[in-house]
Amino acid sequence: QVHLVESGGGLVQAGGSLRLSCVAFGRTFRSNAVSWFRQAPGKGREFVGGDGWSTLYADSVKGRFTISRDNAANTVYLQMSSLKPEDTAVYYCAARSALVVSTISSEYNSWGQGTQVTVSA
């Protein structure tokens, strides 16, 4: 497992942007797929996007969110633009011991603590 810490959440108006960061401590995650999930109040955890051999996005964020990775800094970023109120959720980064991105949360064995993103109308 790798210890993950997210940051960058906050309150933003609809149409605005935020960049979330996920830093790995303890070891690198060069050989791990890293994905972002989110969970809104009263809802299940939802796949947002992930980076591994390839980059994959949920249809709901495609064209608005971008994942990038800085292996030297052990950091994965989630750049979010054109934010909507329905993007409001706690955002989590997760890593799995394979480079294939999975959309299934149970296939990830390392999770961060989450960061709140709130988009006002």
Side-chain angles (χ1 to χ4, degrees):
Q1 289 189 350
V2 59
H3 181 56
L4 304 175
V5 178
E6 304 99 333
S7 62
L11 173 64
V12 64
Q13 288 188 330
S17 299
L18 280 176
R19 189 178 78 160
L20 306 184
S21 300
C22 173
V23 181
F25 293 93
R27 65 175 185 84
T28 66
F29 49 29
R30 294 174 185 267
S31 59
N32 300 88
V34 179
S35 292
W36 291 91
F37 289 79
R38 65 186 181 187
Q39 188 164 16
K43 295 188 177 181
R45 198 160 289 190
E46 174 191 26
F47 174 79
V48 174
D51 179 74
W53 287 119
S54 60
T55 306
L56 181 67
Y57 297 97
D59 287 344
S60 59
V61 306
K62 203 172 292 183
R64 300 188 299 121
F65 290 11
T66 303
I67 293 173
S68 60
R69 183 194 291 245
D70 182 346
N71 283 330
N74 271 358
T75 303
V76 171
Y77 301 99
L78 179 65
Q79 178 67 49
M80 305 185 294
S81 303
S82 302
L83 282 162
K84 305 174 182 180
E86 51 263 44
D87 293 319
T88 295
V90 178
Y91 283 70
Y92 300 89
C93 68
R96 66 189 299 248
S97 302
L99 273 172
V100 176
V101 173
S102 172
T103 62
I104 303 171
S105 59
S106 61
E107 295 190 357
Y108 290 79
N109 55 4
S110 298
W111 288 84
Q113 81 289 351
T115 186
Q116 176 71 48
V117 172
T118 303
V119 184
S120 62

